[in-house]
Amino acid sequence: MELALPVFVKQAIYWLSFLYFPLAGALLWQIFVRKSFRILSILALIPLTVLAYARFIEPQRLLIVEHEVEICGEGLPGTLRAAVVADLHLGIFPHAISTERVVKHINGANVDLVLMPGDFTYHLEAEKFDKTFAAFSKLDMPAYAVMGNHDVGLPGPDVAAPLTEALEKVGVTILNAKEAIFSADGKFLRIIGFRDYWAHTKRNEDLGEMPEKASGMPIIFLQHNPDMMMDPDLKSFDLMVSGHTHGGQIYIPGVTCHLTFACRTSRYGYSETPLGKLFVTSGTGMVGLPLRLGVPPRIDVLNMKLRRCRDDINNLV
């Protein structure tokens, strides 16, 4: 998904894409007015229009998608609704979904908490952090986050320290190698954040404490990269929430999974694993090319149905 190109080249691709409009106009004139080379003009216009859709329309289609998840633990049974948003990649592409739009959609979704598994930035200057993320102060519910690979300089500059400071200023709880307890109406969640998995594998940074699974509060792991599922030291959990894949960003069946890492663990959505349940969001932003195709920006809402684990024991007696 990420192209190894200088930042100025990616920015040039972004601005050159506006040439679609005069070029499309010239092809339409060729087709309907001059009426010469009509077939060639049509054949040229179709792929250009698909690229224009991927550049100008789909990246602005911010969707709310709901999913059902069942987990167990102590506390009152019931449902907690968690919004999941990741991979905003705010920076060099001005048409990325803004934090203002994200906050407006989340506040309208009637959720109890927000989970943010990283990659807030994409070559965004640190002096712009306060303004860029100010809207998060208007969230109506607690938000928990970890850093992603782009936030910690893989690739790009390492902005984890100023980003953490800016996000904490607006009320986002950063859980890089930390944990927090969320409670609402007698229902509890233990949220454990980990450092980015690439930082662990490429720079040998400690992921954070890996707790043993035990009865008690449901455990949610917050990790940017779902490839942590392949770590030999991974302990069991109730639910892991990740991002990183962008759902492929440009999803072409049979092609995207072959050419990128998007499908290595899970491209998008909910899955069951031997260690626990996994949910991977496809995020809202873009890297490499300023395009999204077949994977519109999403804020996912997890309807987490909590039940008491001892019910399973009772059912076996």
Side-chain angles (χ1 to χ4, degrees), residues 68-86:
E68 304 297 320
V69 180
E70 187 174 281
I71 54 181
C72 70
E74 292 179 351
L76 296 176
T79 300
L80 289 174
R81 286 168 55 81
V84 180
V85 61

Side-chain angles (χ1 to χ4, degrees), residues 9-290:
V9 174
K10 297 171 186 177
Q11 291 175 312
I13 292 170
Y14 174 89
W15 292 111
L16 287 171
S17 65
F18 286 99
L19 291 175
Y20 165 79
F21 297 102
L23 184 57
L27 290 171
L28 289 170
W29 180 81
Q30 190 79 22
I31 294 167
F32 294 107
V33 179
R34 190 174 180 184
K35 297 183 179 180
S36 59
F37 302 106
R38 295 182 72 181
I39 299 301
L40 289 176
S41 297
I42 291 170
L43 291 176
L45 185 61
I46 290 172
L48 283 174
T49 301
V50 171
L51 287 173
Y53 169 83
R55 162 65 177 83
F56 296 103
I57 297 176
E58 183 155 313
Q60 297 302 311
R61 294 182 58 221
L62 182 56
L63 307 180
I64 295 281
V65 184
E66 304 226 358
H67 310 263
E68 304 297 320
V69 180
E70 187 174 281
I71 54 181
C72 70
E74 292 179 351
L76 296 176
T79 300
L80 289 174
R81 286 168 55 81
V84 180
V85 61
D87 299 286
L88 280 80
H89 287 297
L90 297 166
I92 64 173
F93 295 148
H95 70 317
I97 299 293
S98 68
T99 52
E100 289 80 7
R101 285 189 67 189
V102 168
V103 169
K104 180 179 178 181
H105 278 66
I106 291 176
N107 283 344
N110 189 31
V111 300
D112 300 291
L113 69 157
V114 184
L115 300 174
M116 300 178 171
D119 267 5
F120 292 88
T121 64
Y122 191 47
H123 301 283
L124 180 66
E125 297 90 345
E127 57 267 23
K128 296 181 179 179
F129 287 177
D130 286 348
K131 181 178 180 181
T132 300
F133 301 109
F136 285 147
S137 66
K138 299 179 181 178
L139 283 169
D140 295 334
M141 66 294 296
Y144 305 91
V146 292
M147 298 291 108
N149 58 285
H150 283 270
D151 303 324
V152 300
L154 294 168
D158 184 346
V159 295
L163 179 59
T164 295
E165 181 181 356
L167 292 173
E168 289 182 336
K169 277 184 186 177
V170 292
V172 177
T173 301
I174 305 300
L175 296 179
N176 267 23
K178 297 179 182 178
E179 66 175 87
I181 304 298
F182 172 82
S183 64
D185 302 323
K187 297 181 282 289
F188 297 89
L189 296 172
R190 184 182 177 195
I191 305 170
I192 300 175
F194 295 94
R195 293 188 178 91
D196 175 67
Y197 193 62
W198 275 8
H200 172 65
T201 58
K202 296 176 184 295
R203 298 199 300 226
N204 201 33
E205 292 185 11
D206 181 47
L207 275 171
E209 184 180 357
M210 198 75 68
E212 296 284 351
K213 182 71 172 69
S215 61
M217 284 180 280
I219 294 176
I220 294 181
F221 282 179
L222 196 58
Q223 159 62 232
H224 175 65
N225 190 336
D227 286 354
M228 181 174 157
M229 292 296 303
M230 297 183 286
D231 192 276
D233 296 324
L234 183 65
K235 305 295 185 181
S236 62
F237 51 88
D238 292 288
L239 175 67
M240 182 186 293
V241 175
S242 298
H244 186 61
T245 70
H246 299 198
Q249 188 170 311
I250 300 172
Y251 181 62
I252 303 171
V255 176
T256 299
C257 289
H258 180 68
L259 296 179
T260 75
F261 61 77
C263 308
R264 185 161 53 204
T265 302
S266 174
R267 183 179 71 85
Y268 168 71
Y270 172 78
S271 58
E272 301 269 358
T273 81
L275 291 175
K277 306 172 193 293
L278 171 67
F279 184 82
V280 179
T281 182
S282 55
T284 67
M286 296 152 290
V287 297
L289 294 173

